[in-house]
Amino acid sequence: MLEAGMVEKKSAGSASLWMREAVEAIDKQFGTGYAREHPEMVAGFMQAAAIDQAGMYIRSLVEIFDLWPSSLG
């Protein structure tokens, strides 16, 4: 199990990575500087990335503990 300090450090690293990726993706789509002018888009991108990561984590726990309903198999 990870210690609290390690989890915090890893989370900060993930958020930093998502922010850089958000700026790159948004600027690529809408033009250089667009992300800086629209921080709400960066925030939405980061929120979506966090939700996706949480979903993948939950799915991994379901698979590890074999909690997946057989009907969804």
Side-chain angles (χ1 to χ4, degrees):
M1 185 114 200
L2 293 174
E3 295 180 13
M6 180 58 93
V7 171
E8 182 179 356
K9 185 176 181 181
K10 185 168 175 46
S11 296
S14 294
S16 180
L17 174 65
W18 296 336
M19 191 175 342
R20 285 192 307 273
E21 289 179 350
V23 170
E24 290 174 11
I26 293 166
D27 282 353
K28 182 177 180 183
Q29 181 72 32
F30 299 104
T32 302
Y34 196 88
R36 181 180 298 278
E37 295 170 9
H38 299 276
E40 70 281 1
M41 290 190 74
V42 175
F45 185 105
M46 293 178 67
Q47 186 176 30
I51 291 168
D52 185 58
Q53 184 176 33
M56 288 188 297
Y57 177 70
I58 291 168
R59 181 180 176 136
S60 72
L61 291 176
V62 167
E63 290 175 355
I64 287 169
F65 294 109
D66 197 25
L67 301 173
W68 204 259
S70 59
S71 63
L72 298 176

